[in-house]
Amino acid sequence: MSKAFTKESDGDNEDDLPEDMGGLPATAKNYMTPEGFARMRDELNTLMRKERPEVVKVVSWAAGNGDRSENGDYIYGKKRLREIDRRVRYLSKRLANAEVVDPATRAKTDQVFFGATVTTANAEDKERTIKIVGVDEVDLEKGHVSWISPIARALLRAQEGDVVRLRTPAGEEELEIVKVSYI
């Protein structure tokens, strides 16, 4: 059989990917902060305007060199193009379905909503500060947690001074809301 009629595959079958890889419940909106939206848009622009054209150039050059079956530039370039295209599709879909919520435009309140930076204290008076962001913006090192995470769900709609209960693997924990800000 001629290689011209076989499908090139490296085990990555795009059909095996879930329809929505974002971790959102099916009916939930994809809330994002303006910063998160801008970061994703910048990544999409970089992929489309810089990275993809460079890889296409390399693949075109490699294809012109003859035998593609043993041409590493061609094989790995095609693989990288599939990775870029997959990420572009994902980012495009997430950005198209995003609902940008700017916490800076919220009226001054001490109640916890999307975009809030919340400082809590546990029973041992150990303080922890988190920011409630979209599922695509989670960064635990910075204290950014998803609005659908258990801690965010426990805090949402509570106010400064309230005590909320959070279920953890170690048991139920009480957290006092010390400070709420929208910066």
Side-chain angles (χ1 to χ4, degrees):
M1 177 187 249
S2 170
K3 279 201 134 202
F5 297 105
T6 60
K7 181 180 178 191
E8 286 185 19
S9 178
D10 58 350
D12 285 356
N13 187 353
E14 293 177 7
D15 298 332
D16 292 343
L17 296 175
E19 182 64 29
D20 185 2
M21 301 182 307
L24 278 173
T27 58
K29 294 184 178 183
N30 184 21
Y31 295 114
M32 280 188 183
T33 62
E35 298 83 21
F37 186 84
R39 199 169 24 258
M40 286 183 80
R41 188 187 59 228
D42 291 346
E43 180 184 355
L44 178 63
N45 287 338
T46 299
L47 288 172
M48 290 299 295
R49 292 200 170 93
K50 185 174 183 252
E51 249 185 272
R52 193 174 194 289
E54 289 173 2
V55 175
V56 167
K57 195 181 300 182
V58 169
V59 169
S60 296
W61 169 81
N65 288 340
D67 186 12
R68 296 177 184 171
S69 66
E70 295 181 9
N71 187 331
D73 287 330
Y74 180 79
I75 293 169
Y76 294 115
K78 292 289 282 187
K79 181 179 182 202
R80 180 66 185 136
L81 274 177
R82 286 191 300 273
E83 292 168 353
I84 290 171
D85 289 343
R86 184 178 301 122
R87 183 70 179 161
V88 164
R89 280 191 308 276
Y90 175 78
L91 290 171
S92 297
K93 189 182 282 188
R94 298 301 283 188
L95 289 170
N97 295 327
E99 188 166 323
V100 179
V101 178
D102 190 355
T105 62
R106 175 167 291 286
K108 185 163 173 51
T109 181
D110 63 352
Q111 195 170 11
V112 179
F113 293 106
F114 180 86
T117 301
V118 183
T119 302
T120 61
N122 63 11
E124 292 86 40
D125 282 334
K126 183 177 177 191
E127 289 192 357
R128 176 180 177 193
T129 301
I130 62 167
K131 182 172 183 174
I132 300 173
V133 296
V135 295
D136 297 310
E137 305 171 76
V138 173
D139 186 349
L140 297 179
E141 290 179 7
K142 292 181 179 177
H144 294 182
V145 298
S146 165
W147 66 275
I148 61 173
S149 68
I151 190 165
R153 286 183 173 208
L155 294 172
L156 285 173
R157 301 197 191 283
Q159 297 180 338
E160 280 184 22
D162 287 354
V163 175
V164 297
R165 294 184 188 275
L166 173 66
R167 283 193 190 161
T168 66
E172 204 167 87
E173 183 178 0
E174 288 189 349
L175 299 173
E176 180 183 353
I177 300 174
V178 178
K179 182 178 177 187
V180 177
S181 65
Y182 292 90
I183 49 173

